[in-house]
Amino acid sequence: MSSAPLAFAPGLTVRGFAPPLQLRDFGLIAFDMDSTLINIECIDEVADAAGRKAEVAAITEASMRGEITDFKESLRRRVAMLQGVPEGFLHEVFEQRLKPNPGAKALIDACRAAGLKTLLVSGGFTFFAERVCSLLGIDDARSNVLEIVDGHLTGRLVDQDWGDICDGAEKRRMLLATCERLGIPPSRAIAMGDGANDLPMMGAAGLSVAYHAKPKVREQAMVSIEEGGLDRLLEVVRP
């Protein structure tokens, strides 16, 4: 997307199209999870139990900014640092640290009311993704499985029937496969994220939305929410 951004409202920019659009013209909205739908990077908080939060968070930040281009390798490095963390700490992170970002429920409810299917695609973990889907009423999810043996993380991920790690390419593939299953073109999909690994799916969707995103993502998104909650999208795409 090469056109110059237009300040649509304070803290809300658009590029490449003339708003407002109509929500009912879309059939799917796909969300990144960590730092998009929710307030934390789960892996950084889990690393806190291993005393390695700063170390893991530095790799997460570099990966999300696009400074580390191999997401799979960066995730494996970070997950390896979680070896020995008790499974109970995952519950503690979910119950005490994780919160939906402002406007998440309002946006998802509006999308569902307009007939859209909702999808969560995350480079994070199923433990959190499944609970976030239940909390917010999201239809489907794809994310990564932490290996747990004898109540502790092993520092490894479990391969799934679709592949090993949900990275940017898998997010894009899942968005396109969901569109195909729904019988809609990708032009009727909205993709929303904040980090570099969201760019492949954002590039495949008809409308790409950056939420409090890294500079590389803001520069390429058709909508950039830089102030306020997720539901500010409804100012641009009207219910």
Side-chain angles (χ1 to χ4, degrees), residues 42-64:
C42 293
I43 192 167
D44 298 354
E45 301 306 317
V46 175
D48 206 11
R52 304 189 79 168
K53 182 175 179 178
E55 194 176 348
V56 168
I59 300 173
T60 301
E61 175 71 10
S63 183
M64 292 305 98

PDB file of all heavy atoms in Angstrom, residues 42-64:
ATOM      1  N   CYS A  42       1.854 -13.081  25.777  1.00  0.00           N
ATOM      2  CA  CYS A  42       1.772 -14.174  26.754  1.00  0.00           C
ATOM      3  C   CYS A  42       3.127 -14.816  27.015  1.00  0.00           C
ATOM      4  O   CYS A  42       3.468 -15.133  28.158  1.00  0.00           O
ATOM      5  CB  CYS A  42       0.764 -15.222  26.284  1.00  0.00           C
ATOM      6  SG  CYS A  42      -0.945 -14.634  26.260  1.00  0.00           S
ATOM      7  N   ILE A  43       3.915 -15.009  25.961  1.00  0.00           N
ATOM      8  CA  ILE A  43       5.198 -15.681  26.135  1.00  0.00           C
ATOM      9  C   ILE A  43       6.119 -14.901  27.063  1.00  0.00           C
ATOM     10  O   ILE A  43       6.860 -15.478  27.864  1.00  0.00           O
ATOM     11  CB  ILE A  43       5.871 -15.967  24.772  1.00  0.00           C
ATOM     12  CG1 ILE A  43       7.053 -16.932  24.953  1.00  0.00           C
ATOM     13  CG2 ILE A  43       6.307 -14.669  24.059  1.00  0.00           C
ATOM     14  CD1 ILE A  43       7.570 -17.517  23.657  1.00  0.00           C
ATOM     15  N   ASP A  44       6.062 -13.569  27.008  1.00  0.00           N
ATOM     16  CA  ASP A  44       6.897 -12.748  27.881  1.00  0.00           C
ATOM     17  C   ASP A  44       6.484 -12.927  29.335  1.00  0.00           C
ATOM     18  O   ASP A  44       7.333 -12.971  30.238  1.00  0.00           O
ATOM     19  CB  ASP A  44       6.792 -11.269  27.501  1.00  0.00           C
ATOM     20  CG  ASP A  44       7.279 -10.986  26.093  1.00  0.00           C
ATOM     21  OD1 ASP A  44       7.805 -11.897  25.430  1.00  0.00           O
ATOM     22  OD2 ASP A  44       7.118  -9.829  25.644  1.00  0.00           O
ATOM     23  N   GLU A  45       5.168 -13.015  29.569  1.00  0.00           N
ATOM     24  CA  GLU A  45       4.675 -13.163  30.940  1.00  0.00           C
ATOM     25  C   GLU A  45       4.982 -14.552  31.484  1.00  0.00           C
ATOM     26  O   GLU A  45       5.314 -14.700  32.665  1.00  0.00           O
ATOM     27  CB  GLU A  45       3.167 -12.888  30.992  1.00  0.00           C
ATOM     28  CG  GLU A  45       2.774 -11.498  30.514  1.00  0.00           C
ATOM     29  CD  GLU A  45       3.509 -10.391  31.234  1.00  0.00           C
ATOM     30  OE1 GLU A  45       3.653 -10.465  32.473  1.00  0.00           O
ATOM     31  OE2 GLU A  45       3.957  -9.436  30.556  1.00  0.00           O
ATOM     32  N   VAL A  46       4.873 -15.588  30.641  1.00  0.00           N
ATOM     33  CA  VAL A  46       5.220 -16.945  31.084  1.00  0.00           C
ATOM     34  C   VAL A  46       6.711 -17.008  31.415  1.00  0.00           C
ATOM     35  O   VAL A  46       7.124 -17.654  32.388  1.00  0.00           O
ATOM     36  CB  VAL A  46       4.840 -17.988  30.014  1.00  0.00           C
ATOM     37  CG1 VAL A  46       5.308 -19.383  30.426  1.00  0.00           C
ATOM     38  CG2 VAL A  46       3.330 -17.984  29.776  1.00  0.00           C
ATOM     39  N   ALA A  47       7.531 -16.317  30.622  1.00  0.00           N
ATOM     40  CA  ALA A  47       8.976 -16.298  30.869  1.00  0.00           C
ATOM     41  C   ALA A  47       9.312 -15.680  32.220  1.00  0.00           C
ATOM     42  O   ALA A  47      10.379 -15.967  32.794  1.00  0.00           O
ATOM     43  CB  ALA A  47       9.686 -15.537  29.758  1.00  0.00           C
ATOM     44  N   ASP A  48       8.408 -14.859  32.746  1.00  0.00           N
ATOM     45  CA  ASP A  48       8.623 -14.244  34.060  1.00  0.00           C
ATOM     46  C   ASP A  48       8.816 -15.313  35.127  1.00  0.00           C
ATOM     47  O   ASP A  48       9.596 -15.135  36.069  1.00  0.00           O
ATOM     48  CB  ASP A  48       7.415 -13.363  34.392  1.00  0.00           C
ATOM     49  CG  ASP A  48       7.763 -12.230  35.344  1.00  0.00           C
ATOM     50  OD1 ASP A  48       8.963 -11.992  35.582  1.00  0.00           O
ATOM     51  OD2 ASP A  48       6.823 -11.581  35.844  1.00  0.00           O
ATOM     52  N   ALA A  49       8.119 -16.443  34.976  1.00  0.00           N
ATOM     53  CA  ALA A  49       8.226 -17.532  35.953  1.00  0.00           C
ATOM     54  C   ALA A  49       9.590 -18.197  35.914  1.00  0.00           C
ATOM     55  O   ALA A  49      10.033 -18.793  36.895  1.00  0.00           O
ATOM     56  CB  ALA A  49       7.139 -18.575  35.710  1.00  0.00           C
ATOM     57  N   ALA A  50      10.245 -18.082  34.764  1.00  0.00           N
ATOM     58  CA  ALA A  50      11.583 -18.667  34.615  1.00  0.00           C
ATOM     59  C   ALA A  50      12.675 -17.635  34.905  1.00  0.00           C
ATOM     60  O   ALA A  50      13.867 -17.923  34.751  1.00  0.00           O
ATOM     61  CB  ALA A  50      11.756 -19.233  33.209  1.00  0.00           C
ATOM     62  N   GLY A  51      12.261 -16.427  35.294  1.00  0.00           N
ATOM     63  CA  GLY A  51      13.230 -15.366  35.553  1.00  0.00           C
ATOM     64  C   GLY A  51      13.910 -14.864  34.297  1.00  0.00           C
ATOM     65  O   GLY A  51      14.998 -14.292  34.355  1.00  0.00           O
ATOM     66  N   ARG A  52      13.236 -15.025  33.149  1.00  0.00           N
ATOM     67  CA  ARG A  52      13.869 -14.655  31.871  1.00  0.00           C
ATOM     68  C   ARG A  52      12.986 -13.721  31.049  1.00  0.00           C
ATOM     69  O   ARG A  52      13.098 -13.666  29.839  1.00  0.00           O
ATOM     70  CB  ARG A  52      14.204 -15.922  31.074  1.00  0.00           C
ATOM     71  CG  ARG A  52      15.086 -16.897  31.841  1.00  0.00           C
ATOM     72  CD  ARG A  52      15.584 -18.037  31.006  1.00  0.00           C
ATOM     73  NE  ARG A  52      16.706 -17.644  30.168  1.00  0.00           N
ATOM     74  CZ  ARG A  52      17.474 -18.531  29.505  1.00  0.00           C
ATOM     75  NH1 ARG A  52      17.224 -19.816  29.614  1.00  0.00           N
ATOM     76  NH2 ARG A  52      18.461 -18.115  28.738  1.00  0.00           N
ATOM     77  N   LYS A  53      12.128 -12.964  31.710  1.00  0.00           N
ATOM     78  CA  LYS A  53      11.188 -12.116  30.988  1.00  0.00           C
ATOM     79  C   LYS A  53      11.899 -11.094  30.107  1.00  0.00           C
ATOM     80  O   LYS A  53      11.541 -10.913  28.942  1.00  0.00           O
ATOM     81  CB  LYS A  53      10.246 -11.401  31.956  1.00  0.00           C
ATOM     82  CG  LYS A  53       9.208 -10.526  31.234  1.00  0.00           C
ATOM     83  CD  LYS A  53       8.190  -9.918  32.175  1.00  0.00           C
ATOM     84  CE  LYS A  53       7.204  -9.049  31.400  1.00  0.00           C
ATOM     85  NZ  LYS A  53       6.166  -8.466  32.274  1.00  0.00           N
ATOM     86  N   ALA A  54      12.895 -10.415  30.646  1.00  0.00           N
ATOM     87  CA  ALA A  54      13.568  -9.360  29.878  1.00  0.00           C
ATOM     88  C   ALA A  54      14.231  -9.931  28.634  1.00  0.00           C
ATOM     89  O   ALA A  54      14.165  -9.345  27.545  1.00  0.00           O
ATOM     90  CB  ALA A  54      14.598  -8.641  30.748  1.00  0.00           C
ATOM     91  N   GLU A  55      14.844 -11.092  28.795  1.00  0.00           N
ATOM     92  CA  GLU A  55      15.554 -11.747  27.687  1.00  0.00           C
ATOM     93  C   GLU A  55      14.579 -12.167  26.590  1.00  0.00           C
ATOM     94  O   GLU A  55      14.805 -11.924  25.393  1.00  0.00           O
ATOM     95  CB  GLU A  55      16.287 -12.972  28.245  1.00  0.00           C
ATOM     96  CG  GLU A  55      17.322 -13.575  27.342  1.00  0.00           C
ATOM     97  CD  GLU A  55      18.065 -14.717  28.030  1.00  0.00           C
ATOM     98  OE1 GLU A  55      17.932 -14.878  29.259  1.00  0.00           O
ATOM     99  OE2 GLU A  55      18.761 -15.450  27.313  1.00  0.00           O
ATOM    100  N   VAL A  56      13.472 -12.787  26.996  1.00  0.00           N
ATOM    101  CA  VAL A  56      12.471 -13.240  26.037  1.00  0.00           C
ATOM    102  C   VAL A  56      11.767 -12.046  25.394  1.00  0.00           C
ATOM    103  O   VAL A  56      11.548 -12.014  24.180  1.00  0.00           O
ATOM    104  CB  VAL A  56      11.447 -14.182  26.724  1.00  0.00           C
ATOM    105  CG1 VAL A  56      10.236 -14.440  25.823  1.00  0.00           C
ATOM    106  CG2 VAL A  56      12.121 -15.502  27.093  1.00  0.00           C
ATOM    107  N   ALA A  57      11.435 -11.033  26.195  1.00  0.00           N
ATOM    108  CA  ALA A  57      10.719  -9.868  25.681  1.00  0.00           C
ATOM    109  C   ALA A  57      11.541  -9.126  24.630  1.00  0.00           C
ATOM    110  O   ALA A  57      10.988  -8.591  23.661  1.00  0.00           O
ATOM    111  CB  ALA A  57      10.352  -8.926  26.822  1.00  0.00           C
ATOM    112  N   ALA A  58      12.854  -9.107  24.799  1.00  0.00           N
ATOM    113  CA  ALA A  58      13.716  -8.430  23.816  1.00  0.00           C
ATOM    114  C   ALA A  58      13.638  -9.130  22.464  1.00  0.00           C
ATOM    115  O   ALA A  58      13.596  -8.477  21.412  1.00  0.00           O
ATOM    116  CB  ALA A  58      15.152  -8.397  24.323  1.00  0.00           C
ATOM    117  N   ILE A  59      13.589 -10.466  22.469  1.00  0.00           N
ATOM    118  CA  ILE A  59      13.478 -11.226  21.220  1.00  0.00           C
ATOM    119  C   ILE A  59      12.081 -11.027  20.619  1.00  0.00           C
ATOM    120  O   ILE A  59      11.928 -10.848  19.409  1.00  0.00           O
ATOM    121  CB  ILE A  59      13.753 -12.727  21.451  1.00  0.00           C
ATOM    122  CG1 ILE A  59      15.163 -12.935  22.018  1.00  0.00           C
ATOM    123  CG2 ILE A  59      13.602 -13.509  20.149  1.00  0.00           C
ATOM    124  CD1 ILE A  59      15.453 -14.369  22.441  1.00  0.00           C
ATOM    125  N   THR A  60      11.043 -11.039  21.473  1.00  0.00           N
ATOM    126  CA  THR A  60       9.675 -10.813  21.000  1.00  0.00           C
ATOM    127  C   THR A  60       9.575  -9.464  20.293  1.00  0.00           C
ATOM    128  O   THR A  60       9.033  -9.351  19.190  1.00  0.00           O
ATOM    129  CB  THR A  60       8.670 -10.866  22.171  1.00  0.00           C
ATOM    130  OG1 THR A  60       8.753 -12.143  22.813  1.00  0.00           O
ATOM    131  CG2 THR A  60       7.244 -10.632  21.682  1.00  0.00           C
ATOM    132  N   GLU A  61      10.099  -8.427  20.935  1.00  0.00           N
ATOM    133  CA  GLU A  61      10.020  -7.079  20.378  1.00  0.00           C
ATOM    134  C   GLU A  61      10.735  -7.002  19.030  1.00  0.00           C
ATOM    135  O   GLU A  61      10.202  -6.447  18.060  1.00  0.00           O
ATOM    136  CB  GLU A  61      10.638  -6.080  21.365  1.00  0.00           C
ATOM    137  CG  GLU A  61      10.730  -4.649  20.861  1.00  0.00           C
ATOM    138  CD  GLU A  61       9.398  -3.925  20.739  1.00  0.00           C
ATOM    139  OE1 GLU A  61       8.378  -4.455  21.220  1.00  0.00           O
ATOM    140  OE2 GLU A  61       9.379  -2.833  20.146  1.00  0.00           O
ATOM    141  N   ALA A  62      11.940  -7.573  18.944  1.00  0.00           N
ATOM    142  CA  ALA A  62      12.695  -7.548  17.691  1.00  0.00           C
ATOM    143  C   ALA A  62      11.965  -8.317  16.594  1.00  0.00           C
ATOM    144  O   ALA A  62      11.945  -7.904  15.427  1.00  0.00           O
ATOM    145  CB  ALA A  62      14.091  -8.124  17.905  1.00  0.00           C
ATOM    146  N   SER A  63      11.327  -9.420  16.973  1.00  0.00           N
ATOM    147  CA  SER A  63      10.582 -10.222  16.003  1.00  0.00           C
ATOM    148  C   SER A  63       9.360  -9.460  15.495  1.00  0.00           C
ATOM    149  O   SER A  63       9.085  -9.424  14.294  1.00  0.00           O
ATOM    150  CB  SER A  63      10.159 -11.543  16.655  1.00  0.00           C
ATOM    151  OG  SER A  63       9.497 -12.366  15.734  1.00  0.00           O
ATOM    152  N   MET A  64       8.634  -8.818  16.407  1.00  0.00           N
ATOM    153  CA  MET A  64       7.416  -8.094  16.013  1.00  0.00           C
ATOM    154  C   MET A  64       7.738  -6.849  15.179  1.00  0.00           C
ATOM    155  O   MET A  64       6.943  -6.426  14.346  1.00  0.00           O
ATOM    156  CB  MET A  64       6.609  -7.692  17.249  1.00  0.00           C
ATOM    157  CG  MET A  64       5.991  -8.850  18.011  1.00  0.00           C
ATOM    158  SD  MET A  64       4.932  -9.928  17.012  1.00  0.00           S
ATOM    159  CE  MET A  64       6.022 -11.277  16.621  1.00  0.00           C
TER     160      MET A  64
END
